[in-house]
Each structure stands twice: as C-alpha cells, then as structure tokens.
Amino acid sequence: MSEAGPDPAIAVEGLTKSFGQVRALRGIDLSVPRGSVLGVLGPNGAGKTTAVRILTTLLAPDGGRATVNGYDVVRHAAAVRRSIGLSGQAPAIQEELTGRENLEIIGRLYHLSWAEARSRAGELLEQFDLTEAARRPAKTYSGGMQRRLDLAASLVGRPSVLFLDEPTTGLDPRSRLGMWDIIRSLAASGTTILLTTQYLDEADELADAIVVIDHGRVIAEGTAEQLKSRIGGDVLEFTVPDRARLGDAVAAVKRVGGAEPHADAEAGLITVGVGSRGSEALIEAVRALDGAGVTTRGLALRRPSLDDVFLALTGHAAEEDGQPPGRRGRGRRAGGPGGRAAGWQDGRGGERQLAGRAAGRRPGIDQGGE
Amino acid sequence: MTAVAAVRVAEPGLLTRARWSLSDTLAITRRNMLVWMRVPAYIVFTVVQPVMFVLMFRYVFGGAIPVNVPGGYVSFLMPGIIGQTAAFASFGTAIALAMELQKGVIDRLRSMPMARSAVLAGRLVADTARMTLTILILVGIGYAVGFRFRGGVLPAIWMVLLAIVVGLAFCCVAAFTGLAIGDEESVQAFGMIWLFPLTFVSSAFVPIPTMPGWLQAFANNQPVTFAVNTMRALALGGPVEANLLKTLAWLAGIFIVFAPLAVRAYKRAS
C-alpha cells in the first residue's frame, strides 16, 4: 500500500513474535492511512490478536518495528497509550459497577477531572444508547449492551486510533448490525480503525482495505473488490444431496471451471471459480452434471464472496482453524464430557460463532470467553 | 511503506506523574470498593469468618488450652487471631488479582495511559481498608467476650497498626502469587497451603512449648510468631523490643523481596 502517504496512523514493518516454539507472527507489514479502516482478516490462531497486543503496547515484539501515530510502540509506549483505544476480547468493564461508574472511573484513569469524567461518561452513554441503563450494574446488560459499554470505555480518551479486536464475536445478529453502525459512524468521524475479524462479511462491510493473515503472515491485501477479483470472476455453487456422489460431481465440474473445485463434504457444497465464462460455464456444468447422473440442488452462479477468496488463498475456509473442513464439527459432536471439553478448546471460534447465531442464548458464557 | 521515524515525545514531568499515580491508585481503589458495596455478602463473610474463629477458640478449644497470661485464654487468643486475620486478608488480594488477570481486565487497563503501579497499589489500598475494618470489628468482638487491652491506649493503637502492616506484607506476597499463578481456584488452594501452616504453627493459638520439638523449631523462628508475640506484648504489657526487631526485620525482608516480584509479575502478566 504505497499510497499510504507520508504519515500513516499505523505503520508496521517486519513484525515477528514467537511464543516458545509457536511462531505467532512471521514478519507482518501493515500501513494504515489516517482516517481509514483496515480489516485484519484471518482464522483463529492466525496472529491477529498477537498483532493487536503488540500495537497496543501489551506485548513486546521479537523483531521488526511498529509505530502508532508516529510513536514507537516499544520506546514510546506511554505516548502510544495516550492516543489509542482498545476494545475487544478482554473486557475493561467491571460487571458489578453501573455503566456510568465504569465510564467515570476510566475517565479518571485518563486523567480527566471528576467533572470532565462525569460529562464524558454522560456523552458516551448517550451516544451508545445506554442512558436508560446507566444506573444499572453492567452485569444486568445484554451481551450487545456490554459490548457497547466496552467500546464506549475505549473512547473515553478520545483516541485518534482505535483497535477493535473481534468486536462482534459472540454477538447475536441484531447486536452485530448495531455494532457495525457504530463502527461506521466512528470511521466517518475520522477515527482510524484497525479491526480484526474472522467474519468475512464484516471486513467486506466495514473496511476500506483488508489484510488477510494466515499462520502469522500477510497472505493478501487490498480492497474487498481487489481481493474478490483475485478469484478471477464468478463462482458456480451447488449442493449435492447424495454425499456418495460428491466425487462424481467434482469430476464433472472440473472440466467446466478454470479452477480446482472445492468440496465441503460436511455440507455437500461444491464451489468452483469459472472466471469470466459466466453463463456459458453454467450451461456446461448443467450438461456435465446431468451426463454424470448427479442430482444437484441450488445450482447458481454468483459473485465471489471473501469466503471464496480465503479458500483460494489458503486452501481452507476462514472459519475452520486451518483444519480440513468438517473435522472439527465431528469432534464436537462426539459427545462425552472429555470430548466436549477438547472440542471447546479446539473449536473456540466455531463455538463462539454458534453462540452468536443462537441470538445471545448464553451471553454470560460468550462474554467471558477469553 | 514509510520509514519509522524517530519522534520526540514530551513526557509529563515528575510531579505530574506522581499526581497521576496517586489519582490512578485512588480510582482503582474506588473501583474495588464499589464492587464490595455491590456484593456486600463478600465483606460480611470475610468479617464473619474470623468472628467465628474467635467464638470457637474462646468457647470450644480455649478451655483445654492452659496459658500463663493475665486474663486467661481470651487475652492470649485475641492478638493471635488478629494476626491471623491480617495474614488471611491476603487471600482476597491473590484471588482478586488472579481473577482480573484471567478475565483480561488487567490487559485492558495496561493499554490505558494510567500509572502501571496503580492496579497493584489500588488493590492493596482497598484490601488494607477491608482488613482494618475487620480488625476493628474483631477488637469489638474481643471486648464482648472478655478481652481487654492491658497496656494502655497507645500500645493498643500500635498493636492494631502493626497487625495492618503485617497484613499488608502478606498481601504483597499474595499479589505476587496471584499474578504469577493467574488462576483463581489454584490461587485459593495455594493460599491454604502457605497460610494455614504459617498462622497455626505459630504462637497465635497455643503456647509453642506444647508442640513437639521439631515443630517448635519452625514455630519459634517464623514471622507470624514474632509478630503475634509483639502484638501480645503490646496488648497485655510486657517486653516488646526483641520480638519487634525480629518482626520488623522479617517485614522489611518480605517487602524488599515480594514488592518487586509483584510489580514484575504485573508487568509480565497477560
């Protein structure tokens, strides 16, 4: 991203970090222009949180350099802390305290006077639609409200750079859309935002530029459109109800598409990039599948999603922790308390997404996740 | 990619930073105390537990423990139980810090421009206040069950102050263990392992000569015994100096070793 200009809000060069044998970051470069939103996209364990922890001065890098607002995150950590906000997986709020008390005390920690801390808390409660709940202990809040309060806490010091580490993970769909609106309006007001996410649609919706991280490396960057164009056109997608015929279906469409088809055995879903051949490829696919005697469902041509991009770049889907598709799902279903516990550890991302889809069924649990 | 240029940073002066450290510590203290006000059961139980000890030792075990002090076993018991209560206050320190670490609260606070010492200091200030309240209530309960200060008002005040400083030293150790272990339940179990022998294998509840010889060797040379002996002398009258010097030496040693360890554990905590 050479068009970043002379003074990016966040500049990262060759950042590395290992935890024992695990190389969490293997040389990351980033540049985030002022006032823009960078989406850092990657599966669990890709290194997103490690990168955020280094940029917010919580962790020292092994190698490379990083500046935020021109301040070196190691040498000028105190100055970095004064100009950033962090919200995400670790909660800043104390559940026993009311929303207002939480924000006032954080205001004091940003060295506002009591009067300033009070008025800033009032402003933020208003802005995040928490005025009515302001006098209640935060533990009575819904998952979405707690997340909003937490985000409000990160804005007490009016940061010019905001780090959002998976801001919607574990939220129900409605709260998630609400959070998106808030993030959009923060971006519109000129705040530079670095947002990590494992949701491809989230990066697509919110980010001006996207960096895809996998196994501690940047494997692709660009706008959502640029990344999608990497697929080279449209995607053909269909389901094979009879899983036994999955292999035949793949063989049939292999001759049609330019790219290798991807089959998700669990869902019986096959996707294949067909380039610019669009409807022509569609007709050929129908003929080939018909010729092979494979019954399909929902055969359609669509524009590529970032899911397809991730699949094309890494060979595995974004939300599968780099494991072969379906493996984790089976592990989790394999009952027994021991197996369940292992599945929880293994499939944390999956579990959280599940909780999110279940519309805040267990807000207490997904809140305390990490 | 732009080069990472050197930036000159105007750091606030020493006086400003000292003022901020203080106000940050007070903000964290306030936060901790507000939590207790919302969960009064916690405070009630931390007070009830030593009161229960007083009643049990005064009326259940006390009759079987002959002591040679004016006023009988209750006079012997109260300084000991106050010393133990001060030491046990450290449970709360360790557990609270481990829990905040586990939940990631400490992480978030470390990303803010607040004084790095404030989370630890605010925790210790709040816990010391809680401990002081418990000790004062215990003195009141002691008076209700027959205990009397026999050395005058000033030594009595010194006794309470010494108990608080001893408790603070234990809280420092606990701050380190809490942050180093970082898991609420393990921290609680570990607290039992070091606090029970130190407080029970001491002069707090029984005269040491009633213990077997090998145990006396430990009991006679550990800090709780020195502290309780000093407190007992202050409460009941008697020579203070020898035990006080040993107590102060131990306290200095504990602060010198464990305060930096706790700070280091906090800086490394993640």
Side-chain angles (χ1 to χ4, degrees), chain A residues 5-6 8 12-13 30 53 58 65 67 70 76 79 81-82 86-87 90-92 94 96-97 101 105 110-111 114 150, chain B residues 1-4 7 9 11 20 24 27 30-31 34-35 38-39 100 103-105 107-114 116 270:
Chain A
V12 175
E13 285 174 15
L30 295 174
R53 288 174 56 80
L58 297 177
R65 287 200 291 180
T67 62
H76 304 307
R81 278 182 227 123
R82 278 195 288 275
L86 166 67
S87 177
Q94 188 81 44
E96 290 85 356
L97 272 54
E101 286 166 343
I105 284 173
Y110 276 91
H111 308 124
W114 269 113
D150 196 75
Chain B
M1 183 63 60
T2 47
V4 177
V7 186
V9 183
E11 286 297 327
W20 282 351
D24 291 349
R30 181 188 167 87
R31 183 171 181 269
L34 279 172
V35 172
R38 297 298 140 71
V39 196
E100 289 187 336
K103 277 164 69 181
V105 176
D107 233 25
R108 278 294 292 280
L109 294 174
R110 283 170 66 221
S111 79
M112 293 178 191
M114 56 180 287
R116 299 229 129 177
S270 55

Short mmCIF file of all heavy atoms in Angstrom, two decimals, chain A residues 5-6 8 12-13 30 53 58 65 67 70 76 79 81-82 86-87 90-92 94 96-97 101 105 110-111 114 150, chain B residues 1-4 7 9 11 20 24 27 30-31 34-35 38-39 100 103-105 107-114 116 270:
data_model
loop_
_atom_site.label_atom_id
_atom_site.label_comp_id
_atom_site.label_asym_id
_atom_site.label_seq_id
_atom_site.Cartn_x
_atom_site.Cartn_y
_atom_site.Cartn_z
N GLY A 5 0.76 7.58 1.99
CA GLY A 5 1.09 8.95 2.35
C GLY A 5 2.25 8.99 3.32
O GLY A 5 2.72 7.95 3.77
N PRO A 6 2.68 10.18 3.63
CA PRO A 6 3.91 10.32 4.40
C PRO A 6 3.74 9.93 5.88
O PRO A 6 4.70 9.60 6.54
CB PRO A 6 4.25 11.80 4.28
CG PRO A 6 2.93 12.47 4.00
CD PRO A 6 2.10 11.47 3.27
N PRO A 8 1.35 7.63 7.99
CA PRO A 8 0.23 6.74 8.30
C PRO A 8 -0.04 6.70 9.80
O PRO A 8 0.86 6.92 10.60
CB PRO A 8 0.70 5.38 7.80
CG PRO A 8 2.18 5.45 7.82
CD PRO A 8 2.54 6.88 7.57
N VAL A 12 3.72 -0.66 10.31
CA VAL A 12 4.30 -1.88 10.86
C VAL A 12 5.27 -2.45 9.83
O VAL A 12 4.94 -2.55 8.65
CB VAL A 12 3.20 -2.92 11.16
CG1 VAL A 12 3.82 -4.23 11.63
CG2 VAL A 12 2.23 -2.40 12.20
N GLU A 13 6.47 -2.78 10.30
CA GLU A 13 7.48 -3.34 9.39
C GLU A 13 8.07 -4.61 9.97
O GLU A 13 8.66 -4.58 11.04
CB GLU A 13 8.62 -2.34 9.18
CG GLU A 13 8.28 -1.18 8.29
CD GLU A 13 9.41 -0.16 8.26
OE1 GLU A 13 10.54 -0.49 8.68
OE2 GLU A 13 9.14 0.96 7.82
N LEU A 30 2.30 -3.64 7.69
CA LEU A 30 0.98 -3.01 7.56
C LEU A 30 1.19 -1.51 7.45
O LEU A 30 2.15 -0.97 7.98
CB LEU A 30 0.12 -3.23 8.81
CG LEU A 30 -0.35 -4.59 9.23
CD1 LEU A 30 -1.06 -4.45 10.57
CD2 LEU A 30 -1.29 -5.16 8.20
N ARG A 53 -2.08 -6.91 20.19
CA ARG A 53 -1.44 -6.76 21.50
C ARG A 53 -0.12 -6.03 21.40
O ARG A 53 0.24 -5.24 22.27
CB ARG A 53 -1.27 -8.13 22.18
CG ARG A 53 -2.59 -8.72 22.67
CD ARG A 53 -2.42 -10.13 23.21
NE ARG A 53 -1.43 -10.18 24.27
CZ ARG A 53 -1.66 -9.84 25.53
NH1 ARG A 53 -2.86 -9.46 25.88
NH2 ARG A 53 -0.71 -9.90 26.43
N LEU A 58 0.89 -4.01 24.73
CA LEU A 58 0.72 -5.04 25.77
C LEU A 58 1.78 -6.13 25.67
O LEU A 58 1.98 -6.89 26.59
CB LEU A 58 -0.67 -5.68 25.66
CG LEU A 58 -1.83 -4.72 25.90
CD1 LEU A 58 -3.16 -5.42 25.69
CD2 LEU A 58 -1.75 -4.15 27.30
N ARG A 65 9.46 -3.40 13.55
CA ARG A 65 9.11 -2.15 14.21
C ARG A 65 7.67 -1.79 13.94
O ARG A 65 7.10 -2.17 12.92
CB ARG A 65 10.01 -1.02 13.69
CG ARG A 65 11.43 -1.13 14.22
CD ARG A 65 12.14 0.17 14.11
NE ARG A 65 12.40 0.52 12.70
CZ ARG A 65 13.03 1.63 12.34
NH1 ARG A 65 13.42 2.50 13.24
NH2 ARG A 65 13.24 1.88 11.07
N THR A 67 4.88 1.66 14.59
CA THR A 67 4.54 2.96 15.17
C THR A 67 3.03 3.16 15.07
O THR A 67 2.38 2.69 14.14
CB THR A 67 5.22 4.13 14.45
OG1 THR A 67 4.77 4.16 13.10
CG2 THR A 67 6.73 4.03 14.50
N GLY A 70 2.89 7.76 14.87
CA GLY A 70 4.28 8.19 14.83
C GLY A 70 5.10 7.76 16.04
O GLY A 70 6.30 7.93 16.05
N HIS A 76 8.13 4.38 22.90
CA HIS A 76 7.23 5.45 23.35
C HIS A 76 5.86 4.87 23.71
O HIS A 76 4.82 5.39 23.33
CB HIS A 76 7.07 6.50 22.26
CG HIS A 76 8.37 7.08 21.81
ND1 HIS A 76 9.27 7.62 22.69
CD2 HIS A 76 8.94 7.18 20.59
CE1 HIS A 76 10.35 8.03 22.02
NE2 HIS A 76 10.17 7.77 20.75
N ALA A 79 3.26 7.18 25.22
CA ALA A 79 2.63 8.10 24.27
C ALA A 79 1.63 7.37 23.37
O ALA A 79 0.57 7.91 23.04
CB ALA A 79 3.72 8.77 23.42
N ARG A 81 -0.11 4.78 24.29
CA ARG A 81 -1.30 4.50 25.11
C ARG A 81 -2.20 5.72 25.23
O ARG A 81 -3.41 5.60 25.35
CB ARG A 81 -0.88 4.04 26.51
CG ARG A 81 -0.55 2.58 26.54
CD ARG A 81 -0.18 2.14 27.94
NE ARG A 81 1.03 1.34 27.88
CZ ARG A 81 2.13 1.60 28.54
NH1 ARG A 81 2.21 2.63 29.36
NH2 ARG A 81 3.16 0.83 28.39
N ARG A 82 -1.59 6.92 25.22
CA ARG A 82 -2.42 8.12 25.34
C ARG A 82 -3.24 8.37 24.09
O ARG A 82 -4.22 9.12 24.13
CB ARG A 82 -1.53 9.34 25.63
CG ARG A 82 -1.17 9.48 27.11
CD ARG A 82 -0.63 10.86 27.42
NE ARG A 82 0.70 11.05 26.88
CZ ARG A 82 1.81 10.67 27.51
NH1 ARG A 82 1.75 10.12 28.70
NH2 ARG A 82 3.00 10.88 26.97
N LEU A 86 -8.64 0.65 22.84
CA LEU A 86 -8.68 -0.78 22.53
C LEU A 86 -9.99 -1.34 23.05
O LEU A 86 -10.38 -1.09 24.18
CB LEU A 86 -7.50 -1.49 23.21
CG LEU A 86 -7.56 -3.03 23.28
CD1 LEU A 86 -7.46 -3.65 21.90
CD2 LEU A 86 -6.44 -3.57 24.16
N SER A 87 -10.67 -2.07 22.21
CA SER A 87 -11.86 -2.76 22.67
C SER A 87 -11.88 -4.10 21.98
O SER A 87 -11.41 -4.24 20.86
CB SER A 87 -13.13 -1.98 22.31
OG SER A 87 -14.26 -2.70 22.70
N ALA A 90 -10.93 -8.76 25.62
CA ALA A 90 -10.79 -8.64 27.08
C ALA A 90 -11.64 -7.46 27.56
O ALA A 90 -11.53 -6.37 27.03
CB ALA A 90 -9.33 -8.40 27.43
N PRO A 91 -12.49 -7.69 28.54
CA PRO A 91 -13.39 -6.62 28.96
C PRO A 91 -12.71 -5.59 29.87
O PRO A 91 -11.93 -5.95 30.73
CB PRO A 91 -14.46 -7.37 29.74
CG PRO A 91 -13.75 -8.55 30.31
CD PRO A 91 -12.66 -8.91 29.32
N ALA A 92 -13.02 -4.32 29.67
CA ALA A 92 -12.50 -3.27 30.54
C ALA A 92 -13.51 -2.96 31.63
O ALA A 92 -13.19 -2.34 32.62
CB ALA A 92 -12.22 -2.01 29.74
N GLN A 94 -16.22 -3.41 34.69
CA GLN A 94 -16.39 -4.19 35.90
C GLN A 94 -17.89 -4.46 36.04
O GLN A 94 -18.67 -3.51 36.14
CB GLN A 94 -15.87 -3.38 37.09
CG GLN A 94 -15.81 -4.12 38.38
CD GLN A 94 -14.59 -5.00 38.48
OE1 GLN A 94 -13.50 -4.58 38.15
NE2 GLN A 94 -14.76 -6.22 38.92
N GLU A 96 -19.93 -5.48 38.27
CA GLU A 96 -20.70 -5.09 39.45
C GLU A 96 -21.03 -3.60 39.43
O GLU A 96 -21.97 -3.15 40.08
CB GLU A 96 -19.94 -5.41 40.74
CG GLU A 96 -19.81 -6.89 41.04
CD GLU A 96 -18.62 -7.51 40.32
OE1 GLU A 96 -17.96 -6.80 39.53
OE2 GLU A 96 -18.35 -8.71 40.54
N LEU A 97 -20.23 -2.84 38.70
CA LEU A 97 -20.43 -1.39 38.67
C LEU A 97 -21.45 -1.02 37.61
O LEU A 97 -21.64 -1.75 36.63
CB LEU A 97 -19.09 -0.68 38.37
CG LEU A 97 -18.22 -0.33 39.58
CD1 LEU A 97 -17.96 -1.55 40.45
CD2 LEU A 97 -16.91 0.27 39.12
N GLU A 101 -20.68 4.42 36.34
CA GLU A 101 -19.50 4.32 37.22
C GLU A 101 -18.29 3.80 36.45
O GLU A 101 -17.17 4.31 36.61
CB GLU A 101 -19.79 3.39 38.40
CG GLU A 101 -20.70 4.00 39.45
CD GLU A 101 -21.25 2.96 40.42
OE1 GLU A 101 -21.21 1.75 40.11
OE2 GLU A 101 -21.73 3.37 41.48
N ILE A 105 -14.88 6.06 36.11
CA ILE A 105 -13.58 5.65 36.67
C ILE A 105 -12.54 5.57 35.56
O ILE A 105 -11.40 5.98 35.74
CB ILE A 105 -13.74 4.32 37.43
CG1 ILE A 105 -14.41 4.62 38.77
CG2 ILE A 105 -12.38 3.65 37.65
CD1 ILE A 105 -14.77 3.43 39.58
N TYR A 110 -7.89 8.25 32.66
CA TYR A 110 -7.35 9.06 31.56
C TYR A 110 -7.05 10.47 32.05
O TYR A 110 -6.85 11.38 31.25
CB TYR A 110 -8.34 9.09 30.38
CG TYR A 110 -8.22 7.90 29.46
CD1 TYR A 110 -8.97 6.76 29.67
CD2 TYR A 110 -7.31 7.91 28.40
CE1 TYR A 110 -8.85 5.66 28.85
CE2 TYR A 110 -7.18 6.82 27.57
CZ TYR A 110 -7.95 5.69 27.80
OH TYR A 110 -7.81 4.60 26.97
N HIS A 111 -7.08 10.66 33.36
CA HIS A 111 -6.70 11.93 34.00
C HIS A 111 -7.61 13.09 33.66
O HIS A 111 -7.18 14.22 33.54
CB HIS A 111 -5.22 12.25 33.71
CG HIS A 111 -4.34 11.09 34.05
ND1 HIS A 111 -3.47 10.52 33.16
CD2 HIS A 111 -4.26 10.34 35.18
CE1 HIS A 111 -2.87 9.48 33.73
NE2 HIS A 111 -3.33 9.36 34.96
N TRP A 114 -12.97 15.13 37.84
CA TRP A 114 -14.24 14.45 38.12
C TRP A 114 -15.36 15.00 37.25
O TRP A 114 -16.16 14.25 36.70
CB TRP A 114 -14.61 14.56 39.60
CG TRP A 114 -14.07 13.40 40.39
CD1 TRP A 114 -13.11 13.45 41.35
CD2 TRP A 114 -14.44 12.03 40.26
NE1 TRP A 114 -12.86 12.19 41.83
CE2 TRP A 114 -13.67 11.30 41.18
CE3 TRP A 114 -15.35 11.35 39.46
CZ2 TRP A 114 -13.78 9.91 41.32
CZ3 TRP A 114 -15.46 9.96 39.59
CH2 TRP A 114 -14.67 9.26 40.51
N ASP A 150 -18.31 -1.43 26.60
CA ASP A 150 -16.88 -1.66 26.50
C ASP A 150 -16.25 -0.78 25.42
O ASP A 150 -15.18 -0.21 25.61
CB ASP A 150 -16.63 -3.13 26.19
CG ASP A 150 -15.20 -3.53 26.46
OD1 ASP A 150 -14.86 -3.65 27.63
OD2 ASP A 150 -14.43 -3.65 25.49
N MET B 1 5.79 1.97 1.95
CA MET B 1 5.96 1.86 3.40
C MET B 1 6.89 2.97 3.89
O MET B 1 8.01 3.11 3.44
CB MET B 1 6.55 0.49 3.72
CG MET B 1 6.72 0.19 5.17
SD MET B 1 5.18 0.15 6.11
CE MET B 1 4.33 -1.16 5.28
N THR B 2 6.42 3.76 4.79
CA THR B 2 7.27 4.84 5.29
C THR B 2 8.20 4.32 6.36
O THR B 2 7.88 3.41 7.10
CB THR B 2 6.41 5.96 5.91
OG1 THR B 2 5.47 5.36 6.77
CG2 THR B 2 5.72 6.77 4.85
N ALA B 3 9.36 4.93 6.43
CA ALA B 3 10.31 4.55 7.47
C ALA B 3 9.74 4.96 8.82
O ALA B 3 9.01 5.93 8.93
CB ALA B 3 11.64 5.25 7.24
N VAL B 4 10.07 4.19 9.82
CA VAL B 4 9.60 4.50 11.16
C VAL B 4 10.53 5.56 11.74
O VAL B 4 11.63 5.27 12.17
CB VAL B 4 9.58 3.23 12.02
CG1 VAL B 4 9.18 3.56 13.45
CG2 VAL B 4 8.64 2.22 11.42
N VAL B 7 10.58 10.00 16.84
CA VAL B 7 9.69 11.08 17.25
C VAL B 7 10.12 11.53 18.63
O VAL B 7 10.43 10.71 19.49
CB VAL B 7 8.23 10.59 17.31
CG1 VAL B 7 7.30 11.76 17.58
CG2 VAL B 7 7.85 9.89 16.05
N VAL B 9 9.15 12.76 22.12
CA VAL B 9 7.94 12.68 22.93
C VAL B 9 8.11 13.54 24.17
O VAL B 9 9.07 13.39 24.91
CB VAL B 9 7.68 11.22 23.36
CG1 VAL B 9 6.38 11.13 24.14
CG2 VAL B 9 7.64 10.32 22.15
N GLU B 11 7.33 13.92 27.56
CA GLU B 11 6.76 13.20 28.69
C GLU B 11 6.43 14.19 29.80
O GLU B 11 7.16 15.14 30.02
CB GLU B 11 7.76 12.15 29.20
CG GLU B 11 7.88 10.94 28.30
CD GLU B 11 6.59 10.13 28.19
OE1 GLU B 11 5.84 10.08 29.18
OE2 GLU B 11 6.34 9.60 27.10
N TRP B 20 -0.57 11.84 39.02
CA TRP B 20 -1.38 10.87 38.26
C TRP B 20 -1.36 9.50 38.93
O TRP B 20 -2.38 8.83 39.01
CB TRP B 20 -0.87 10.77 36.83
CG TRP B 20 -1.32 11.91 35.96
CD1 TRP B 20 -2.23 12.87 36.30
CD2 TRP B 20 -0.90 12.20 34.63
NE1 TRP B 20 -2.38 13.74 35.26
CE2 TRP B 20 -1.59 13.36 34.22
CE3 TRP B 20 0.00 11.59 33.75
CZ2 TRP B 20 -1.40 13.93 32.96
CZ3 TRP B 20 0.18 12.16 32.50
CH2 TRP B 20 -0.52 13.31 32.11
N ASP B 24 -4.65 7.73 39.96
CA ASP B 24 -4.95 6.42 39.36
C ASP B 24 -5.19 5.38 40.44
O ASP B 24 -6.12 4.56 40.36
CB ASP B 24 -3.80 5.95 38.46
CG ASP B 24 -3.67 6.80 37.21
OD1 ASP B 24 -4.59 7.59 36.94
OD2 ASP B 24 -2.65 6.68 36.51
N ALA B 27 -8.49 5.91 41.96
CA ALA B 27 -9.57 5.49 41.06
C ALA B 27 -9.75 3.98 41.12
O ALA B 27 -10.88 3.46 41.18
CB ALA B 27 -9.28 5.95 39.64
N ARG B 30 -11.25 2.99 44.44
CA ARG B 30 -12.67 3.27 44.43
C ARG B 30 -13.44 2.17 43.70
O ARG B 30 -14.49 1.70 44.14
CB ARG B 30 -12.88 4.63 43.75
CG ARG B 30 -14.31 5.09 43.67
CD ARG B 30 -14.36 6.34 42.81
NE ARG B 30 -15.71 6.67 42.43
CZ ARG B 30 -16.53 7.40 43.16
NH1 ARG B 30 -16.12 7.90 44.30
NH2 ARG B 30 -17.75 7.64 42.74
N ARG B 31 -12.87 1.77 42.57
CA ARG B 31 -13.49 0.73 41.76
C ARG B 31 -13.61 -0.56 42.58
O ARG B 31 -14.67 -1.19 42.62
CB ARG B 31 -12.57 0.52 40.55
CG ARG B 31 -12.98 -0.44 39.51
CD ARG B 31 -11.98 -0.23 38.36
NE ARG B 31 -12.25 -1.09 37.24
CZ ARG B 31 -11.70 -2.29 37.10
NH1 ARG B 31 -10.90 -2.75 38.01
NH2 ARG B 31 -11.98 -3.00 36.03
N LEU B 34 -16.25 -0.12 45.31
CA LEU B 34 -17.62 -0.12 44.78
C LEU B 34 -18.09 -1.55 44.53
O LEU B 34 -19.25 -1.88 44.76
CB LEU B 34 -17.68 0.68 43.47
CG LEU B 34 -17.78 2.20 43.62
CD1 LEU B 34 -17.63 2.88 42.26
CD2 LEU B 34 -19.10 2.60 44.25
N VAL B 35 -17.17 -2.40 44.06
CA VAL B 35 -17.54 -3.80 43.83
C VAL B 35 -18.00 -4.42 45.14
O VAL B 35 -19.03 -5.12 45.19
CB VAL B 35 -16.35 -4.59 43.25
CG1 VAL B 35 -16.66 -6.08 43.21
CG2 VAL B 35 -16.00 -4.08 41.86
N ARG B 38 -21.44 -3.45 46.09
CA ARG B 38 -22.49 -4.12 45.32
C ARG B 38 -22.64 -5.57 45.72
O ARG B 38 -23.65 -6.20 45.46
CB ARG B 38 -22.15 -4.07 43.81
CG ARG B 38 -22.11 -2.71 43.24
CD ARG B 38 -23.46 -2.02 43.33
NE ARG B 38 -23.31 -0.63 43.69
CZ ARG B 38 -22.82 0.30 42.89
NH1 ARG B 38 -22.46 0.01 41.68
NH2 ARG B 38 -22.69 1.53 43.31
N VAL B 39 -21.56 -6.16 46.28
CA VAL B 39 -21.63 -7.57 46.69
C VAL B 39 -21.35 -7.62 48.19
O VAL B 39 -20.32 -8.11 48.62
CB VAL B 39 -20.60 -8.43 45.92
CG1 VAL B 39 -20.93 -9.91 46.04
CG2 VAL B 39 -20.55 -8.05 44.46
N GLU B 100 -8.90 -10.88 37.86
CA GLU B 100 -8.81 -9.79 36.89
C GLU B 100 -7.87 -10.14 35.76
O GLU B 100 -8.09 -9.77 34.61
CB GLU B 100 -8.33 -8.51 37.59
CG GLU B 100 -9.40 -7.92 38.50
CD GLU B 100 -9.00 -6.58 39.07
OE1 GLU B 100 -7.79 -6.30 39.14
OE2 GLU B 100 -9.91 -5.82 39.43
N LYS B 103 -9.75 -12.68 33.50
CA LYS B 103 -10.80 -12.08 32.68
C LYS B 103 -10.25 -11.12 31.63
O LYS B 103 -10.96 -10.72 30.71
CB LYS B 103 -11.78 -11.31 33.58
CG LYS B 103 -12.83 -12.22 34.19
CD LYS B 103 -13.55 -11.58 35.34
CE LYS B 103 -14.46 -10.44 34.96
NZ LYS B 103 -15.10 -9.84 36.14
N GLY B 104 -8.98 -10.74 31.78
CA GLY B 104 -8.39 -9.82 30.81
C GLY B 104 -8.54 -8.36 31.20
O GLY B 104 -8.15 -7.48 30.44
N VAL B 105 -9.09 -8.11 32.38
CA VAL B 105 -9.27 -6.72 32.82
C VAL B 105 -7.91 -6.03 32.92
O VAL B 105 -7.74 -4.89 32.49
CB VAL B 105 -9.97 -6.68 34.20
CG1 VAL B 105 -10.07 -5.26 34.71
CG2 VAL B 105 -11.34 -7.31 34.10
N ASP B 107 -5.22 -6.65 31.33
CA ASP B 107 -4.74 -6.36 29.98
C ASP B 107 -5.28 -5.03 29.48
O ASP B 107 -4.55 -4.20 28.94
CB ASP B 107 -5.24 -7.47 29.06
CG ASP B 107 -4.11 -8.08 28.27
OD1 ASP B 107 -2.97 -7.99 28.75
OD2 ASP B 107 -4.39 -8.63 27.20
N ARG B 108 -6.59 -4.87 29.64
CA ARG B 108 -7.21 -3.63 29.15
C ARG B 108 -6.68 -2.42 29.89
O ARG B 108 -6.43 -1.37 29.29
CB ARG B 108 -8.73 -3.73 29.28
CG ARG B 108 -9.36 -4.47 28.13
CD ARG B 108 -9.20 -3.74 26.83
NE ARG B 108 -9.97 -2.51 26.80
CZ ARG B 108 -11.26 -2.45 26.56
NH1 ARG B 108 -11.92 -3.54 26.30
NH2 ARG B 108 -11.88 -1.30 26.57
N LEU B 109 -6.54 -2.55 31.21
CA LEU B 109 -6.04 -1.42 31.98
C LEU B 109 -4.62 -1.08 31.56
O LEU B 109 -4.24 0.09 31.53
CB LEU B 109 -6.11 -1.74 33.48
CG LEU B 109 -7.53 -1.89 34.04
CD1 LEU B 109 -7.48 -2.35 35.49
CD2 LEU B 109 -8.31 -0.59 33.94
N ARG B 110 -3.84 -2.09 31.20
CA ARG B 110 -2.46 -1.83 30.79
C ARG B 110 -2.40 -1.11 29.44
O ARG B 110 -1.37 -0.56 29.09
CB ARG B 110 -1.68 -3.14 30.73
CG ARG B 110 -1.26 -3.63 32.12
CD ARG B 110 -0.72 -5.04 32.05
NE ARG B 110 0.52 -5.09 31.30
CZ ARG B 110 0.83 -6.05 30.44
NH1 ARG B 110 0.01 -7.03 30.22
NH2 ARG B 110 1.96 -6.02 29.80
N SER B 111 -3.47 -1.16 28.66
CA SER B 111 -3.46 -0.46 27.37
C SER B 111 -3.85 1.01 27.55
O SER B 111 -3.88 1.76 26.58
CB SER B 111 -4.39 -1.15 26.37
OG SER B 111 -5.75 -0.80 26.63
N MET B 112 -4.18 1.40 28.78
CA MET B 112 -4.57 2.79 29.04
C MET B 112 -3.38 3.56 29.58
O MET B 112 -2.45 2.98 30.14
CB MET B 112 -5.71 2.81 30.06
CG MET B 112 -6.99 2.21 29.51
SD MET B 112 -8.28 2.22 30.76
CE MET B 112 -9.48 1.17 29.97
N PRO B 113 -3.44 4.90 29.45
CA PRO B 113 -2.27 5.70 29.86
C PRO B 113 -2.18 5.91 31.36
O PRO B 113 -1.73 6.93 31.81
CB PRO B 113 -2.51 7.02 29.12
CG PRO B 113 -3.97 7.11 28.98
CD PRO B 113 -4.48 5.71 28.84
N MET B 114 -2.62 4.94 32.14
CA MET B 114 -2.59 5.10 33.59
C MET B 114 -1.27 4.60 34.15
O MET B 114 -0.51 3.91 33.46
CB MET B 114 -3.73 4.30 34.22
CG MET B 114 -3.69 2.84 33.84
SD MET B 114 -5.03 1.87 34.56
CE MET B 114 -4.51 1.79 36.25
N ARG B 116 1.35 2.41 35.85
CA ARG B 116 1.40 0.95 35.86
C ARG B 116 1.29 0.40 37.27
O ARG B 116 0.91 -0.73 37.47
CB ARG B 116 2.70 0.49 35.21
CG ARG B 116 2.79 0.94 33.76
CD ARG B 116 3.16 -0.19 32.87
NE ARG B 116 2.24 -0.26 31.76
CZ ARG B 116 2.36 -1.14 30.77
NH1 ARG B 116 3.34 -1.99 30.75
NH2 ARG B 116 1.49 -1.15 29.80
N SER B 270 -0.22 -11.40 31.35
CA SER B 270 -1.01 -11.25 30.11
C SER B 270 -2.04 -12.34 30.05
O SER B 270 -1.87 -13.38 30.62
CB SER B 270 -0.11 -11.30 28.89
OG SER B 270 0.64 -12.47 28.91
#
